[in-house]
Amino acid sequence: MKTLKQSWAEPYKIKMVELLKMTTQSHRRKAMSEAGFNTFLLKSEDVYIDLLTDSGTSAMSDHQWAGMMMGDEAYAGSRNFYHLEEVVKNIYGYKYLVPTHQGRGAENILSKILIKKGDIIPGNMYFTTTRLHQELAGGKFEDIIIDEAHDPENEFPFKGNVDLEKLEKLIKKYGAKRIPYVSMATSVNMAGGQPISLKNLKDLRALTKKHGIRVIHDMTRVAENAHFIQQREKGYEHKSIREIVKEINSYTDGATMSAKKDALVNIGGFLALNDWDVFEEARNMVVVYEGLHTYGGLAGRDMEAMAIGILESVNDNHIHARVGQVIYLGEKMIEYGVPIVKPIGGHGIFLDAKKFLPHIPQDQFPAQTLAAEVYLDSGVRTMERGVVSAGRKANGENYYPKLELVRFTIPRRVYTQAHMDVIAESVANVYGRRNKIKGMKMVYEPKYLRFFQARFEKLK
Amino acid sequence: MKTIIEPFRIKSVEPIYFTTKEERKAILEKAFYNPFRIHAKDVLIDLLTDSGTSAMSSNQWAGIMQGDESYAGSSSFFRFEESVKKITGMPLVIPTHQGRAAEKIIFTILGGKGKYFISNTLFDTTRANIEFSGAEGIDLVCEEGKHPTIPALFKGNMDVEALKKTILKLGATNIPMVIMTITNNSGGGQPVSMRNIKEASQVCKENKIPFFIDACRFAENSYFIKLRENGYANKSVLEIANETFSYADGCTMSAKKDAFANIGGFLAMRDLDLAIRCRNLLIITEGFTTYGGLAGRDLEAIAVGLQEILDEHYLQYRIRSIEYLTNKLIAAGVPVMQPAGGHAVYLDAKEFLPDIPVDQYPGQALVGALYEHGGIRGVEIGSLMFGKYDTDGKLIPAQLELVRLAIPRRVYTQSHIDYVSEVIIEVFNKRNEIKGLTIIEETPMLRHFTAKLKPII
């Protein structure tokens, strides 16, 4: 017998609201063209529902706001730092903490310490800023995610898994000495928020241990990954999110964290390490880039909000409602026949732009085009995750990723079910007139991370 | 009326935790005689820095609640941008998570081996960022600025003749930037005159060298110009600030000082090409161009704070409170930098502790004594912060051995300040009991933040 859909009612009520501005179609047309058809360049006041990112856009709880008022803004030795340090140790299980103003601050420091020129960094799919920091430090990223991850329709439950054979081949080819660490992400963002299984992680640990290679964890959405393990992996159905998170981390040697995702804050991140020597080096370097090691470029209040947010993020009810809302939106889109990445991931819905707009070739930016069209239709702002985001190789050639996606990321605790309905209806609307949509050309391209600032024009 | 009152009242308080002298003695030992290693809760009066430690106003807190946390195009950014433009007149504004991040970006782009950055005096993180890029930093403060206890009106001025000579010697093409720090922090929070800013800017223009302002304390500097420089008495602080920035090609700012913010900073400039290069780098290490690694709410707090600082009642109160403490100490014969600066009182540790040689770090020893006696946390600005070793491992001392007691903005009351002066005077009377220190562990760069020391017995 088919079980009834489990309800995912929010384990909170609303305490404070932020008013939204409704926009007209002609207003949106003007705004989009001023923004060069790049959703990053839109002003937030021209946006109705903002799904650009789930990063830093969460609604904080009243506890977190109370923590904001308890900020100790002392330059050195702030008590908020010691609170955060204790929470990271207890919840995540890492020994040493270096706070940073965001995740990319931690990536910058880690890459500079561990990567030497000519090194290879294998990882379960690239992420824009992560790969760039690896490259700037002289390393080269190699994708070792399983092939299923590149197929939007494959419903394999753990599409974030590492292909251990691919990793073994790399070790054989380059030697373990040239691989400073494996960059392992939980809830793989570019694959559509897909989880890695604990079994796969254990096997990865065994293999890397044999060769003396570190595993560094991109843990920004570790709790969402833990939820999928709880739902899908045998032996974990009765374990709490908190237990699973700690077990995941126990198979790794350190982590970079953007606390702007799972940890429910608007700013902040950290580098967590188990190795004292690497930690000591990181602590010295953080002063130059971020701030003294007891604040890392964050206000004391933000460290406090982060400590409380981490505790809230590993609550089973919270994660259940969070992922439940994402799945609700995804299933609505499937009902409308819209092609999306399956299975539905933890933090957003990813439209398959290649299938949505099959008549637009990849060098005419189908995902960028689709993101612009959705905004024009309803004022919903999304993000391209395809050829524009992938950027160029060192030799100047474009990367042509297999996945050409538009990401609808759902901020945590911000939007309601009615907002989700509006989003799905708007996408269905655009889908209805998809044959009339034309591609675009790029008219301005920055050197690094071009997706942020590139400008486009519609093809006639 | 003689008494100058604060142009505000208190809306929210934070408790202070008391400690005994015995407890502090043990804490100091455990912190290896380095104030950066002491937990904030163990400090009674925290004068470690005026950076990021201000009390925000109720208007700023309201801004905090209104922060627009959108990743791109946040309305808070546009309010922030407008506020910065109103003061600096610079068309291109780039937010960063703090001042040092703004410096990091500009020096990464313009620095490198064989380059020289000239300043009146570079601050510790500024110098570190320059050296990290492979370039060298050169300080050319005026002669008056080198003598702590001799008063002069604008001791932060740059020696413009020396600037001309240095440009001739090194070649203008090897100097990517001249930086005027206002007020001059390492030199005692001393102001720079408008005339000096104008002249230095002129020399830079003639040599096609970009002239930047390190604007952390631009309002305090502007107020000193109003008080002390001919022709400015009737101008508003905003007008003086506008004129100051009009001579510059760009500026870096830590908003943790003269914008009353607990976090944040920015870069502003006129050159679009340079701004594009800065923004590309910004995205890699800081964040997208409309948030630069800051929460939307912090952009709001800066936007509001930048306008509040221009209030002359506030600036009068601010400058006079520093003067109040300085004059109390002078009256008791304590050697302090004169005249009073804009944000801190600087004790002259060489004169305070003449028996402790520079390689035993008299400034750091004095910092320890102030903490032990009264729970006051200050910071050494001397050979621990700026000292270097020659090839034989011998210490090359800094020019001055100072202890800075930086006063956070709007945080402490007159009775706190009275207490501080009593502690300093008591320590001064017992100065013969203070012992020098030796380093037992240090890092090659910015060692003062983490170094471990012990007393020489």
Side-chain angles (χ1 to χ4, degrees):
Chain A
M1 195 186 80
K2 206 175 168 228
T3 52
L4 286 172
K5 202 194 287 176
Q6 250 186 311
S7 110
W8 50 270
E10 296 86 349
Y12 52 80
K13 55 185 177 180
I14 299 165
K15 204 176 182 101
M16 181 163 61
V17 299
E18 187 174 353
L19 302 181
L20 293 177
K21 203 174 83 182
M22 312 294 268
T23 52
T24 61
Q25 181 135 58
S26 65
H27 180 96
R28 292 195 292 272
R29 209 173 292 136
K30 190 165 164 273
M32 190 80 263
S33 118
E34 279 171 7
F37 294 91
N38 184 346
T39 50
F40 273 100
L41 301 177
L42 285 168
K43 291 183 178 171
S44 79
E45 61 173 26
D46 296 328
V47 174
Y48 172 38
I49 299 175
D50 202 347
L51 307 184
L52 184 68
T53 174
D54 62 329
S55 177
T57 52
S58 301
M60 292 204 291
S61 68
D62 53 353
H63 281 254
Q64 286 180 292
W65 275 107
M68 294 273 293
M69 296 303 299
M70 305 285 281
D72 173 357
E73 305 303 344
Y75 192 86
S78 160
R79 67 182 114 85
N80 307 128
F81 167 75
Y82 298 104
H83 184 203
L84 178 64
E85 193 182 38
E86 183 201 313
V87 168
V88 168
K89 228 179 260 181
N90 285 343
I91 301 295
Y92 292 145
Y94 293 114
K95 282 192 206 157
Y96 309 117
L97 168 74
V98 181
T100 57
H101 84 283
Q102 1 191 33
R104 76 190 78 184
E107 287 172 353
N108 179 29
I109 291 169
L110 181 84
S111 302
K112 285 207 162 71
I113 293 175
L114 291 182
I115 300 173
K116 297 186 306 294
K117 206 170 150 48
D119 279 355
I120 303 295
I121 301 95
N124 53 348
M125 205 173 262
Y126 83 99
F127 187 69
T128 50
T129 52
T130 317
R131 186 180 63 193
L132 183 65
H133 282 297
Q134 292 163 356
E135 287 172 353
L136 289 174
K140 185 167 170 264
F141 174 83
E142 289 275 0
D143 193 359
I144 51 163
I145 203 163
I146 54 171
D147 290 336
E148 288 89 331
H150 296 286
D151 174 4
E153 284 179 67
N154 189 311
E155 301 225 23
F156 185 69
F158 291 105
K159 284 166 82 175
N161 277 358
V162 167
D163 185 332
L164 294 166
E165 269 178 38
K166 285 185 192 166
L167 177 57
E168 273 189 311
K169 267 189 205 154
L170 283 179
I171 297 173
K172 207 169 264 170
K173 187 171 167 196
Y174 296 104
K177 280 218 172 101
R178 282 181 63 191
I179 303 178
Y181 61 93
V182 171
S183 172
M184 187 281 296
T186 36
S187 288
V188 180
N189 193 3
M190 298 305 264
Q194 300 296 331
I196 180 170
S197 73
L198 261 171
K199 169 159 192 317
N200 184 252
L201 189 49
K202 275 188 225 174
D203 293 344
L204 173 67
R205 182 56 167 187
L207 176 64
T208 49
K209 201 167 189 181
K210 203 171 81 187
H211 294 281
I213 298 171
R214 288 189 180 92
V215 177
I216 299 291
H217 179 192
D218 175 351
M219 66 178 300
T220 189
R221 297 181 183 87
V222 65
E224 286 162 15
N225 196 110
H227 172 79
F228 287 121
I229 289 173
Q230 190 188 51
Q231 301 297 310
R232 298 175 187 169
E233 195 164 350
K234 231 185 135 213
Y236 290 94
E237 53 274 41
H238 299 301
K239 292 220 164 157
S240 68
I241 295 294
R242 201 172 159 156
E243 287 167 320
I244 298 171
V245 164
K246 210 159 184 183
E247 186 173 340
I248 292 173
N249 295 348
S250 74
Y251 302 124
T252 69
D253 300 289
T256 56
M257 170 75 162
S258 163
K260 295 166 70 172
K261 284 90 175 183
D262 253 7
L264 299 161
V265 292
N266 304 119
I267 197 72
F270 60 75
L271 181 60
L273 295 157
N274 287 336
D275 183 333
W276 171 264
D277 291 336
V278 183
F279 165 65
E280 222 186 359
E281 216 173 315
R283 200 170 52 168
N284 290 334
M285 205 178 273
V286 77
V287 180
V288 181
Y289 288 93
E290 300 287 308
L292 186 68
H293 60 274
T294 61
Y295 80 92
L298 289 168
R301 58 173 172 268
D302 293 316
M303 290 192 283
E304 192 62 29
M306 199 195 302
I308 299 166
I310 290 169
L311 291 168
E312 291 177 4
S313 77
V314 293
N315 176 295
D316 283 58
N317 293 327
H318 160 73
I319 284 289
H320 186 59
R322 154 71 176 158
V323 179
Q325 188 182 41
V326 176
I327 290 173
Y328 173 84
L329 175 62
E331 286 179 348
K332 275 239 147 174
M333 290 202 193
I334 293 171
E335 272 171 39
Y336 287 123
V338 174
I340 66 170
V341 174
K342 290 174 201 164
I344 297 164
H347 67 293
I349 304 303
F350 292 70
L351 296 196
D352 183 348
K354 276 185 184 169
K355 256 195 129 185
F356 199 112
L357 299 171
H359 57 288
I360 299 182
Q362 203 168 9
D363 58 10
Q364 291 179 15
F365 314 112
Q368 190 79 29
T369 304
L370 184 50
E373 287 297 329
V374 171
Y375 171 76
L376 289 171
D377 185 77
S378 59
V380 172
R381 169 155 73 171
T382 59
M383 182 194 291
E384 191 261 13
R385 293 271 90 150
V387 65
V388 182
S389 296
R392 290 179 189 273
K393 296 177 197 167
N395 65 10
E397 270 172 49
N398 273 315
Y399 283 106
Y400 282 105
K402 287 191 188 125
L403 297 177
E404 179 74 19
L405 309 173
V406 177
R407 190 179 79 170
F408 288 60
T409 9
I410 316 297
R412 291 166 187 79
R413 308 195 289 209
V414 171
Y415 293 111
T416 68
Q417 184 164 337
H419 287 121
M420 296 302 121
D421 291 344
V422 169
I423 296 160
E425 284 158 20
S426 169
V427 171
N429 220 0
V430 175
Y431 193 58
R433 57 176 174 81
R434 61 189 181 279
N435 296 331
K436 291 184 194 140
I437 296 170
K438 295 203 171 71
M440 300 198 294
K441 64 172 180 188
M442 202 188 300
V443 292
Y444 166 70
E445 180 179 355
K447 191 171 167 201
Y448 299 115
L449 301 172
R450 62 181 181 185
F451 61 96
F452 278 126
Q453 299 185 87
R455 299 184 77 86
F456 301 85
E457 273 169 18
K458 285 234 115 186
L459 289 171
K460 292 267 153 53
Chain B
M1 267 167 290
K2 201 169 112 253
T3 304
I4 290 164
I5 58 167
E6 292 88 349
F8 52 80
R9 57 186 176 182
I10 299 164
K11 205 174 181 84
S12 170
V13 300
E14 188 176 350
I16 289 174
Y17 299 98
F18 285 85
T19 43
T20 64
K21 197 174 164 189
E22 280 64 45
E23 284 168 339
R24 290 195 293 269
K25 205 172 168 176
I27 291 163
L28 189 63
E29 201 185 321
K30 223 182 113 197
F32 295 97
Y33 298 87
N34 186 341
F36 286 100
R37 290 178 164 270
I38 298 174
H39 289 206
K41 71 168 174 42
D42 296 327
V43 176
L44 258 78
I45 310 271
D46 202 347
L47 308 183
L48 183 68
T49 176
D50 62 326
S51 176
T53 52
S54 301
M56 291 203 293
S57 68
S58 47
N59 278 335
Q60 284 182 294
W61 275 105
I64 290 266
M65 296 303 298
Q66 289 194 328
D68 174 356
E69 306 302 344
S70 303
Y71 192 88
S74 158
S75 329
S76 303
F77 169 75
F78 296 107
R79 279 191 282 275
F80 160 84
E81 189 186 36
E82 201 192 313
S83 185
V84 174
K85 280 183 183 169
K86 193 179 151 198
I87 287 164
T88 64
M90 299 201 190
L92 304 158
V93 181
I94 301 171
T96 59
H97 85 279
Q98 336 200 47
R100 81 187 67 184
E103 291 169 355
K104 179 90 216 160
I105 288 170
I106 203 91
F107 298 139
T108 303
I109 291 173
L110 298 179
K113 222 174 145 56
K115 304 276 183 199
Y116 301 88
F117 288 85
I118 302 176
S119 175
N120 44 349
T121 313
L122 296 162
F123 195 59
D124 60 343
T125 50
T126 319
R127 178 171 283 278
N129 263 320
I130 288 170
E131 290 172 359
F132 201 78
S133 84
E136 271 179 60
I138 298 173
D139 293 342
L140 296 179
V141 75
C142 64
E143 189 56 35
E144 300 94 297
K146 293 174 189 164
H147 305 280
T149 48
I150 303 170
L153 291 178
F154 289 104
K155 291 173 79 171
N157 279 358
M158 188 181 280
D159 183 337
V160 177
E161 283 312 309
L163 173 64
K164 286 182 194 161
K165 275 185 206 150
T166 312
I167 294 173
L168 263 180
K169 196 176 114 201
L170 299 173
T173 50
N174 296 321
I175 304 167
M177 182 182 284
V178 170
I179 306 146
M180 190 71 96
T181 313
I182 60 172
T183 56
N184 190 4
N185 186 11
S186 302
Q190 297 292 328
V192 179
S193 72
M194 190 70 87
R195 191 170 155 198
N196 189 249
I197 292 169
K198 205 171 156 179
E199 284 175 0
S201 158
Q202 201 59 43
V203 171
C204 288
K205 203 163 270 163
E206 282 158 17
N207 289 282
K208 296 196 172 62
I209 300 170
F211 179 67
F212 267 58
I213 289 177
D214 177 346
C216 296
R217 299 178 180 85
F218 76 94
E220 285 163 12
N221 198 77
S222 299
Y223 190 67
F224 277 121
I225 289 175
K226 185 182 169 92
L227 291 181
R228 297 180 185 174
E229 194 162 347
N230 262 340
Y232 289 93
N234 296 319
K235 293 214 167 162
S236 73
V237 172
L238 178 61
E239 285 169 324
I240 296 170
N242 283 159
E243 186 182 337
T244 303
F245 288 108
S246 75
Y247 299 121
D249 299 299
C251 68
T252 60
M253 165 117 183
S254 162
K256 296 168 74 172
K257 284 88 177 182
D258 268 3
F260 296 118
N262 302 121
I263 197 75
F266 60 82
L267 254 171
M269 61 193 74
R270 303 182 197 281
D271 177 350
L272 181 63
D273 283 344
L274 183 60
I276 289 172
R277 289 163 77 194
C278 289
R279 282 181 180 142
N280 284 338
L281 205 52
L282 178 86
I283 287 174
I284 299 171
T285 51
E286 292 294 295
F288 187 59
T289 54
T290 60
Y291 81 93
L294 288 168
R297 57 174 169 267
D298 295 316
L299 293 168
E300 292 281 356
I302 296 169
V304 176
L306 274 177
Q307 302 308 315
E308 284 180 0
I309 197 90
L310 301 172
D311 174 21
E312 285 171 30
H313 292 289
Y314 162 76
L315 286 166
Q316 184 190 30
Y317 141 78
R318 169 76 174 161
I319 301 299
R320 276 296 294 276
S321 2
I322 311 286
E323 214 172 50
Y324 173 81
L325 177 56
T326 308
N327 290 346
K328 274 204 160 196
L329 296 176
I330 293 172
V334 179
V336 296
M337 177 162 274
Q338 293 186 45
H343 66 288
V345 172
Y346 292 74
L347 306 179
D348 183 345
K350 256 191 219 171
E351 269 197 50
F352 200 113
L353 300 171
D355 298 335
I356 300 183
V358 287
D359 63 356
Q360 293 184 14
Y361 305 103
Q364 191 76 357
L366 180 52
V367 167
L370 294 174
Y371 176 74
E372 193 179 317
H373 281 269
I376 296 167
R377 173 154 72 170
V379 66
E380 189 251 25
I381 298 194
S383 293
L384 182 65
M385 188 181 274
F386 289 117
K388 285 184 178 171
Y389 295 110
D390 65 15
T391 43
D392 302 327
K394 205 169 157 273
L395 179 78
I396 309 168
Q399 217 161 42
L400 301 172
E401 301 294 334
L402 303 174
V403 169
R404 186 184 75 177
L405 302 169
I407 315 292
R409 294 170 183 76
R410 308 193 291 209
V411 171
Y412 292 113
T413 69
Q414 185 169 341
S415 48
H416 289 125
I417 299 300
D418 287 340
Y419 171 82
V420 169
S421 71
E422 280 164 28
V423 171
I424 296 169
I425 291 164
E426 204 180 292
V427 169
F428 186 61
N429 293 335
K430 294 185 188 168
R431 61 190 179 276
N432 296 333
E433 296 167 19
I434 300 172
K435 301 206 166 54
L437 297 167
T438 180
I439 295 176
I440 50 178
E441 207 183 296
E442 64 184 305
T443 55
M445 209 176 274
L446 295 170
R447 62 176 181 174
H448 56 288
F449 283 132
T450 50
K452 294 180 178 174
L453 300 101
K454 68 170 189 204
I456 297 167
I457 300 165

